[in-house]
Amino acid sequence: VQLQASGGGLVQPGGSLRLSCAASGSPLEDYTIGWFRQAPGKEREWVSCIVSYLGSTYFAESVKGRITISRDNARNTVALQMYSLSPEDTGVYYCAADKYLNGPLCGRGDLYDSWGQGTLVTVSS
């Protein structure tokens, strides 16, 4: 599956942003989709994921309560809606897909097969 992340941009602290991960080649419903981010000078960290079929969702503690993840099967996209953004949320956001990853392991970036190219989110006044 080929992935393309989009929706990044410049947003003020406290603002909201909606990222989208679009897929081509296969139905996203068949895949567990994870969102990861990498801030400048830092290692990549897991943000959230939605598991294939049943759609169970998981969130990193750092974003819990501020982020939702959802899948639109008709559009073959997964959205990451972010609220109450702070400068610490700045980074390049990537979506990733894997067909066999279950919920408890969906935070493991090394287990994903396919990655999108990333979209930059900058939170600054």
Side-chain angles (χ1 to χ4, degrees):
V1 65
Q2 290 78 46
L3 305 174
Q4 182 169 358
S6 62
L10 175 63
V11 61
Q12 291 189 341
S16 302
L17 205 60
R18 184 179 180 89
L19 306 183
S20 180
C21 179
S24 60
S26 297
L28 267 187
E29 184 183 15
D30 295 348
Y31 294 80
T32 289
I33 303 299
W35 280 96
F36 296 78
R37 66 187 181 189
Q38 186 164 20
K42 294 187 177 181
E43 293 190 353
R44 183 182 65 198
E45 66 169 340
W46 168 65
V47 176
S48 179
C49 58
I50 183 166
V51 177
S52 58
Y53 301 110
L54 291 179
S56 304
T57 57
Y58 299 81
F59 301 91
E61 285 298 322
S62 60
V63 302
K64 199 172 287 186
R66 300 190 297 116
I67 283 181
T68 64
I69 187 171
S70 60
R71 187 173 62 213
D72 186 331
N73 293 336
R75 290 184 168 85
N76 213 29
T77 58
V78 169
L80 189 74
Q81 178 70 55
M82 303 187 291
Y83 304 93
S84 302
L85 289 166
S86 71
E88 289 70 35
D89 295 311
T90 293
V92 179
Y93 283 68
Y94 300 89
C95 58
D98 189 273
K99 206 166 189 178
Y100 305 105
L101 205 53
N102 58 24
L105 296 176
C106 72
R108 291 270 306 270
D110 60 317
L111 298 180
Y112 284 84
D113 275 341
S114 303
W115 289 81
Q117 86 289 0
T119 185
L120 176 62
V121 173
T122 303
V123 184
S124 175
S125 55

